[in-house]
Short mmCIF file of all heavy atoms in Angstrom, two decimals:
data_model
loop_
_atom_site.label_atom_id
_atom_site.label_comp_id
_atom_site.label_asym_id
_atom_site.label_seq_id
_atom_site.Cartn_x
_atom_site.Cartn_y
_atom_site.Cartn_z
N ILE A 1 0.84 -1.21 0.05
CA ILE A 1 0.01 0.02 -0.02
C ILE A 1 0.86 1.28 -0.01
O ILE A 1 0.29 2.36 0.12
CB ILE A 1 -1.02 0.03 1.23
CG1 ILE A 1 -0.26 0.04 2.58
CG2 ILE A 1 -1.94 -1.15 1.12
CD1 ILE A 1 -1.16 0.21 3.73
N ARG A 2 2.16 1.12 -0.09
CA ARG A 2 3.13 2.23 -0.16
C ARG A 2 3.09 3.09 1.05
O ARG A 2 3.06 4.30 0.99
CB ARG A 2 2.89 2.99 -1.50
CG ARG A 2 3.22 2.21 -2.66
CD ARG A 2 2.95 3.04 -3.88
NE ARG A 2 3.34 2.40 -5.13
CZ ARG A 2 2.68 1.36 -5.71
NH1 ARG A 2 1.62 0.99 -5.25
NH2 ARG A 2 3.20 0.82 -6.80
N GLU A 3 3.04 2.42 2.23
CA GLU A 3 2.99 3.10 3.50
C GLU A 3 4.33 2.95 4.19
O GLU A 3 4.47 2.23 5.12
CB GLU A 3 1.85 2.57 4.40
CG GLU A 3 1.50 3.37 5.57
CD GLU A 3 0.87 4.71 5.29
OE1 GLU A 3 0.02 4.79 4.43
OE2 GLU A 3 1.35 5.71 5.86
N ARG A 4 5.36 3.62 3.61
CA ARG A 4 6.74 3.41 4.06
C ARG A 4 7.02 4.04 5.46
O ARG A 4 7.96 3.59 6.12
CB ARG A 4 7.63 4.04 3.04
CG ARG A 4 7.38 3.53 1.63
CD ARG A 4 8.67 2.96 0.97
NE ARG A 4 8.52 2.70 -0.50
CZ ARG A 4 7.97 1.59 -0.91
NH1 ARG A 4 7.49 0.69 -0.14
NH2 ARG A 4 7.98 1.42 -2.23
N ASN A 5 6.23 4.99 5.87
CA ASN A 5 6.52 5.59 7.18
C ASN A 5 6.14 4.64 8.33
O ASN A 5 6.48 4.95 9.45
CB ASN A 5 5.79 6.93 7.32
CG ASN A 5 4.29 6.77 7.14
OD1 ASN A 5 3.74 5.78 6.71
ND2 ASN A 5 3.62 7.91 7.50
N LEU A 6 5.44 3.56 8.06
CA LEU A 6 5.10 2.61 9.13
C LEU A 6 6.10 1.45 9.21
O LEU A 6 6.07 0.64 10.16
CB LEU A 6 3.68 2.04 8.91
CG LEU A 6 2.53 2.96 9.06
CD1 LEU A 6 1.25 2.24 8.73
CD2 LEU A 6 2.51 3.54 10.55
N LEU A 7 7.05 1.46 8.29
CA LEU A 7 8.03 0.34 8.27
C LEU A 7 9.04 0.38 9.49
O LEU A 7 9.30 -0.60 10.05
CB LEU A 7 8.81 0.29 6.97
CG LEU A 7 7.92 -0.15 5.77
CD1 LEU A 7 8.85 -0.06 4.53
CD2 LEU A 7 7.46 -1.53 5.99
N ALA A 8 9.46 1.60 9.85
CA ALA A 8 10.40 1.69 10.96
C ALA A 8 9.79 1.33 12.29
O ALA A 8 10.34 0.52 13.09
CB ALA A 8 10.96 3.12 11.06
N PRO A 9 8.54 1.83 12.59
CA PRO A 9 7.94 1.36 13.83
C PRO A 9 7.56 -0.12 13.82
O PRO A 9 7.69 -0.78 14.87
CB PRO A 9 6.63 2.16 13.90
CG PRO A 9 6.84 3.36 13.08
CD PRO A 9 7.80 2.92 11.98
N LEU A 10 7.22 -0.69 12.64
CA LEU A 10 6.95 -2.05 12.54
C LEU A 10 8.25 -2.83 12.85
O LEU A 10 8.16 -3.84 13.59
CB LEU A 10 6.43 -2.41 11.16
CG LEU A 10 6.24 -3.91 10.91
CD1 LEU A 10 5.14 -4.47 11.73
CD2 LEU A 10 6.04 -4.10 9.37
N ALA A 11 9.35 -2.44 12.33
CA ALA A 11 10.61 -3.15 12.61
C ALA A 11 10.96 -3.15 14.08
O ALA A 11 11.37 -4.18 14.63
CB ALA A 11 11.77 -2.53 11.81
N ALA A 12 10.76 -2.03 14.74
CA ALA A 12 10.99 -1.92 16.21
C ALA A 12 10.10 -2.84 16.99
O ALA A 12 10.53 -3.61 17.89
CB ALA A 12 10.87 -0.47 16.63
N VAL A 13 8.83 -2.84 16.65
CA VAL A 13 7.83 -3.63 17.41
C VAL A 13 8.11 -5.12 17.12
O VAL A 13 7.99 -5.99 18.01
CB VAL A 13 6.40 -3.23 17.02
CG1 VAL A 13 5.35 -4.19 17.57
CG2 VAL A 13 6.10 -1.82 17.59
N THR A 14 8.35 -5.47 15.90
CA THR A 14 8.61 -6.86 15.54
C THR A 14 9.85 -7.44 16.23
O THR A 14 9.80 -8.48 16.80
CB THR A 14 8.80 -7.02 14.04
OG1 THR A 14 7.57 -6.59 13.41
CG2 THR A 14 9.02 -8.45 13.57
N LEU A 15 10.93 -6.66 16.17
CA LEU A 15 12.11 -7.11 16.88
C LEU A 15 12.01 -7.17 18.45
O LEU A 15 12.48 -8.13 19.06
CB LEU A 15 13.34 -6.21 16.51
CG LEU A 15 13.83 -6.30 15.05
CD1 LEU A 15 14.93 -5.27 14.78
CD2 LEU A 15 14.30 -7.65 14.75
N THR A 16 11.22 -6.30 18.97
CA THR A 16 10.96 -6.30 20.37
C THR A 16 10.14 -7.58 20.71
O THR A 16 10.43 -8.29 21.71
CB THR A 16 10.21 -5.02 20.82
OG1 THR A 16 11.05 -3.89 20.50
CG2 THR A 16 9.95 -5.04 22.31
N SER A 17 9.13 -7.83 19.85
CA SER A 17 8.27 -8.99 20.12
C SER A 17 9.07 -10.31 19.99
O SER A 17 8.89 -11.20 20.75
CB SER A 17 7.10 -9.03 19.16
OG SER A 17 6.25 -7.93 19.35
N ALA A 18 9.88 -10.39 19.00
CA ALA A 18 10.71 -11.57 18.80
C ALA A 18 11.68 -11.75 19.98
O ALA A 18 11.88 -12.88 20.41
CB ALA A 18 11.47 -11.52 17.45
N SER A 19 12.29 -10.64 20.36
CA SER A 19 13.20 -10.73 21.53
C SER A 19 12.42 -11.17 22.80
O SER A 19 12.97 -12.00 23.58
CB SER A 19 13.90 -9.39 21.72
OG SER A 19 14.61 -9.05 20.66
N PHE A 20 11.31 -10.58 22.99
CA PHE A 20 10.52 -10.95 24.24
C PHE A 20 10.07 -12.39 24.09
O PHE A 20 10.02 -13.02 25.16
CB PHE A 20 9.29 -10.04 24.28
CG PHE A 20 8.37 -10.32 25.45
CD1 PHE A 20 8.77 -10.11 26.73
CD2 PHE A 20 7.13 -10.89 25.22
CE1 PHE A 20 8.02 -10.37 27.77
CE2 PHE A 20 6.30 -11.20 26.35
CZ PHE A 20 6.77 -10.93 27.59
N ALA A 21 9.78 -12.87 22.96
CA ALA A 21 9.41 -14.28 22.82
C ALA A 21 10.55 -15.19 23.28
O ALA A 21 10.28 -16.21 24.03
CB ALA A 21 9.00 -14.65 21.39
N VAL A 22 11.75 -14.88 22.92
CA VAL A 22 12.91 -15.66 23.29
C VAL A 22 13.13 -15.60 24.81
O VAL A 22 13.32 -16.62 25.48
CB VAL A 22 14.20 -15.27 22.54
CG1 VAL A 22 15.43 -15.90 23.05
CG2 VAL A 22 14.02 -15.54 21.04
N VAL A 23 13.14 -14.41 25.33
CA VAL A 23 13.30 -14.23 26.78
C VAL A 23 12.25 -14.96 27.57
O VAL A 23 12.51 -15.49 28.56
CB VAL A 23 13.39 -12.74 27.08
CG1 VAL A 23 13.34 -12.42 28.62
CG2 VAL A 23 14.65 -12.09 26.49
N ARG A 24 10.99 -14.87 27.10
CA ARG A 24 9.92 -15.45 27.74
C ARG A 24 10.01 -16.97 27.85
O ARG A 24 9.81 -17.57 28.90
CB ARG A 24 8.57 -15.12 27.14
CG ARG A 24 7.35 -15.54 27.94
CD ARG A 24 6.08 -15.52 27.10
NE ARG A 24 6.05 -16.57 26.12
CZ ARG A 24 5.73 -17.84 26.36
NH1 ARG A 24 5.36 -18.20 27.49
NH2 ARG A 24 5.70 -18.73 25.37
N VAL A 25 10.53 -17.58 26.81
CA VAL A 25 10.69 -19.03 26.80
C VAL A 25 11.79 -19.42 27.82
O VAL A 25 11.57 -20.44 28.54
CB VAL A 25 11.07 -19.56 25.38
CG1 VAL A 25 11.57 -20.96 25.43
CG2 VAL A 25 9.92 -19.38 24.44
N PHE A 26 12.84 -18.68 27.91
CA PHE A 26 13.90 -19.13 28.87
C PHE A 26 13.65 -18.72 30.34
O PHE A 26 14.04 -19.44 31.21
CB PHE A 26 15.20 -18.57 28.34
CG PHE A 26 15.75 -19.21 27.09
CD1 PHE A 26 15.99 -18.48 26.00
CD2 PHE A 26 15.98 -20.57 27.08
CE1 PHE A 26 16.46 -19.12 24.84
CE2 PHE A 26 16.36 -21.21 25.95
CZ PHE A 26 16.62 -20.47 24.84
N LEU A 27 13.05 -17.53 30.57
CA LEU A 27 13.00 -17.10 31.94
C LEU A 27 11.64 -17.42 32.53
O LEU A 27 11.46 -17.67 33.75
CB LEU A 27 13.25 -15.56 31.99
CG LEU A 27 14.63 -15.16 31.56
CD1 LEU A 27 14.79 -13.60 31.62
CD2 LEU A 27 15.66 -15.89 32.37
N TRP A 28 10.52 -17.28 31.75
CA TRP A 28 9.17 -17.40 32.33
C TRP A 28 8.32 -18.30 31.41
O TRP A 28 7.35 -17.87 30.84
CB TRP A 28 8.45 -16.06 32.46
CG TRP A 28 9.28 -15.10 33.18
CD1 TRP A 28 9.49 -15.05 34.50
CD2 TRP A 28 9.93 -13.94 32.65
NE1 TRP A 28 10.29 -13.99 34.88
CE2 TRP A 28 10.56 -13.29 33.75
CE3 TRP A 28 10.09 -13.40 31.35
CZ2 TRP A 28 11.30 -12.12 33.54
CZ3 TRP A 28 10.85 -12.27 31.18
CH2 TRP A 28 11.49 -11.67 32.28
N PRO A 29 8.69 -19.57 31.21
CA PRO A 29 7.99 -20.38 30.25
C PRO A 29 6.53 -20.75 30.62
O PRO A 29 5.74 -20.94 29.80
CB PRO A 29 8.81 -21.65 30.18
CG PRO A 29 9.54 -21.74 31.42
CD PRO A 29 9.74 -20.30 31.82
N ASP A 30 6.20 -20.70 31.88
CA ASP A 30 4.85 -21.05 32.31
C ASP A 30 4.02 -19.90 32.71
O ASP A 30 2.93 -20.01 33.25
CB ASP A 30 4.96 -21.99 33.48
CG ASP A 30 5.63 -23.33 33.15
OD1 ASP A 30 5.43 -23.75 31.99
OD2 ASP A 30 6.27 -23.95 33.98
N SER A 31 4.39 -18.65 32.45
CA SER A 31 3.72 -17.46 32.82
C SER A 31 2.62 -17.17 31.80
O SER A 31 2.86 -16.76 30.66
CB SER A 31 4.70 -16.27 32.88
OG SER A 31 3.92 -15.13 33.09
N LEU A 32 1.35 -17.32 32.20
CA LEU A 32 0.21 -17.11 31.37
C LEU A 32 0.05 -15.60 30.95
O LEU A 32 -0.18 -15.32 29.81
CB LEU A 32 -1.11 -17.64 31.96
CG LEU A 32 -2.35 -17.51 31.18
CD1 LEU A 32 -2.26 -18.31 29.88
CD2 LEU A 32 -3.52 -17.89 31.96
N PRO A 33 0.15 -14.63 31.90
CA PRO A 33 0.06 -13.26 31.52
C PRO A 33 1.10 -12.83 30.41
O PRO A 33 0.78 -12.05 29.53
CB PRO A 33 0.23 -12.52 32.77
CG PRO A 33 -0.06 -13.44 33.90
CD PRO A 33 0.29 -14.79 33.36
N LEU A 34 2.31 -13.34 30.54
CA LEU A 34 3.30 -12.93 29.49
C LEU A 34 3.04 -13.59 28.21
O LEU A 34 3.27 -13.03 27.14
CB LEU A 34 4.76 -13.34 30.03
CG LEU A 34 5.20 -12.54 31.24
CD1 LEU A 34 6.56 -13.01 31.69
CD2 LEU A 34 5.19 -11.02 30.96
N ARG A 35 2.53 -14.83 28.20
CA ARG A 35 2.13 -15.46 26.90
C ARG A 35 0.99 -14.68 26.28
O ARG A 35 1.01 -14.51 25.09
CB ARG A 35 1.69 -16.92 27.14
CG ARG A 35 1.46 -17.68 25.86
CD ARG A 35 1.01 -19.02 26.12
NE ARG A 35 -0.45 -19.01 25.84
CZ ARG A 35 -1.31 -19.89 26.31
NH1 ARG A 35 -0.85 -20.92 26.98
NH2 ARG A 35 -2.56 -19.82 26.00
N VAL A 36 0.00 -14.26 27.09
CA VAL A 36 -1.10 -13.48 26.52
C VAL A 36 -0.55 -12.15 26.01
O VAL A 36 -1.03 -11.69 24.95
CB VAL A 36 -2.14 -13.29 27.64
CG1 VAL A 36 -3.21 -12.31 27.21
CG2 VAL A 36 -2.83 -14.53 27.98
N ALA A 37 0.37 -11.54 26.73
CA ALA A 37 0.90 -10.27 26.20
C ALA A 37 1.60 -10.39 24.89
O ALA A 37 1.44 -9.64 23.96
CB ALA A 37 1.92 -9.74 27.22
N LEU A 38 2.31 -11.54 24.71
CA LEU A 38 2.95 -11.83 23.45
C LEU A 38 1.98 -12.08 22.28
O LEU A 38 2.10 -11.56 21.20
CB LEU A 38 3.87 -13.01 23.54
CG LEU A 38 4.85 -13.29 22.40
CD1 LEU A 38 5.73 -12.15 22.14
CD2 LEU A 38 5.67 -14.53 22.72
N GLU A 39 0.87 -12.77 22.63
CA GLU A 39 -0.12 -13.03 21.58
C GLU A 39 -0.87 -11.76 21.24
O GLU A 39 -1.17 -11.53 20.06
CB GLU A 39 -1.06 -14.12 22.08
CG GLU A 39 -0.42 -15.48 22.05
CD GLU A 39 -1.39 -16.56 22.29
OE1 GLU A 39 -2.62 -16.42 22.18
OE2 GLU A 39 -0.93 -17.73 22.67
N VAL A 40 -1.05 -10.91 22.24
CA VAL A 40 -1.69 -9.59 21.97
C VAL A 40 -0.80 -8.76 21.10
O VAL A 40 -1.25 -8.11 20.14
CB VAL A 40 -2.07 -8.89 23.27
CG1 VAL A 40 -2.47 -7.43 23.01
CG2 VAL A 40 -3.27 -9.63 23.97
N ALA A 41 0.55 -8.82 21.31
CA ALA A 41 1.48 -8.02 20.57
C ALA A 41 1.41 -8.40 19.08
O ALA A 41 1.37 -7.55 18.15
CB ALA A 41 2.85 -8.16 21.09
N TYR A 42 1.45 -9.71 18.77
CA TYR A 42 1.46 -10.05 17.36
C TYR A 42 0.05 -9.82 16.73
O TYR A 42 -0.02 -9.56 15.52
CB TYR A 42 1.96 -11.42 17.11
CG TYR A 42 1.04 -12.57 17.26
CD1 TYR A 42 0.13 -12.91 16.33
CD2 TYR A 42 1.15 -13.41 18.39
CE1 TYR A 42 -0.78 -13.95 16.49
CE2 TYR A 42 0.30 -14.53 18.51
CZ TYR A 42 -0.60 -14.73 17.54
OH TYR A 42 -1.49 -15.83 17.69
N ARG A 43 -0.98 -9.92 17.54
CA ARG A 43 -2.26 -9.61 16.93
C ARG A 43 -2.49 -8.13 16.68
O ARG A 43 -3.11 -7.70 15.67
CB ARG A 43 -3.40 -10.10 17.89
CG ARG A 43 -3.53 -11.59 17.87
CD ARG A 43 -4.51 -12.04 18.88
NE ARG A 43 -4.33 -13.46 19.19
CZ ARG A 43 -5.16 -14.43 18.77
NH1 ARG A 43 -6.23 -14.08 18.13
NH2 ARG A 43 -4.96 -15.62 19.08
N ILE A 44 -1.85 -7.25 17.48
CA ILE A 44 -1.83 -5.87 17.21
C ILE A 44 -1.09 -5.54 15.90
O ILE A 44 -1.51 -4.64 15.17
CB ILE A 44 -1.26 -5.04 18.44
CG1 ILE A 44 -2.27 -5.10 19.59
CG2 ILE A 44 -0.92 -3.62 18.06
CD1 ILE A 44 -1.72 -4.44 20.84
N ILE A 45 0.06 -6.25 15.69
CA ILE A 45 0.77 -6.05 14.40
C ILE A 45 -0.11 -6.38 13.29
O ILE A 45 -0.21 -5.64 12.25
CB ILE A 45 2.06 -6.85 14.43
CG1 ILE A 45 3.00 -6.39 15.43
CG2 ILE A 45 2.70 -6.87 13.06
CD1 ILE A 45 4.20 -7.25 15.69
N LEU A 46 -0.84 -7.55 13.35
CA LEU A 46 -1.71 -7.98 12.23
C LEU A 46 -2.89 -6.95 12.12
O LEU A 46 -3.30 -6.67 11.00
CB LEU A 46 -2.20 -9.37 12.42
CG LEU A 46 -1.09 -10.46 12.30
CD1 LEU A 46 -1.74 -11.78 12.69
CD2 LEU A 46 -0.67 -10.50 10.91
N LEU A 47 -3.45 -6.59 13.16
CA LEU A 47 -4.58 -5.69 13.16
C LEU A 47 -4.23 -4.34 12.52
O LEU A 47 -4.95 -3.75 11.72
CB LEU A 47 -5.19 -5.48 14.55
CG LEU A 47 -6.45 -4.63 14.62
CD1 LEU A 47 -7.52 -5.30 13.84
CD2 LEU A 47 -6.85 -4.35 16.02
N THR A 48 -3.00 -3.87 12.94
CA THR A 48 -2.53 -2.57 12.28
C THR A 48 -2.38 -2.74 10.76
O THR A 48 -2.79 -1.88 9.96
CB THR A 48 -1.25 -2.15 12.91
OG1 THR A 48 -1.37 -1.99 14.27
CG2 THR A 48 -0.72 -0.84 12.35
#
């Protein structure tokens, strides 16, 4: 859609989500609120 001004924020949010996913697996694998937060983060990316 040629919306280039959203690519930089998308990259920041995506890298943050991916990093958080890795940290969550190693530090808090059974934490339900953090899993929900991660799922909400990727759904917000898709919704945007």
Side-chain angles (χ1 to χ4, degrees):
I1 63 174
R2 292 176 176 82
E3 193 67 44
R4 307 233 192 277
N5 58 348
L6 291 176
L7 289 176
L10 173 68
V13 170
T14 300
L15 291 175
T16 302
S17 298
S19 301
F20 179 69
V22 171
V23 169
R24 189 194 70 82
V25 167
F26 289 122
L27 298 180
W28 309 286
D30 297 328
S31 176
L32 181 64
L34 294 178
R35 188 184 100 198
V36 169
L38 188 59
E39 290 189 17
V40 167
Y42 83 76
R43 288 173 197 254
I44 288 173
I45 292 170
L46 288 174
L47 184 65
T48 304

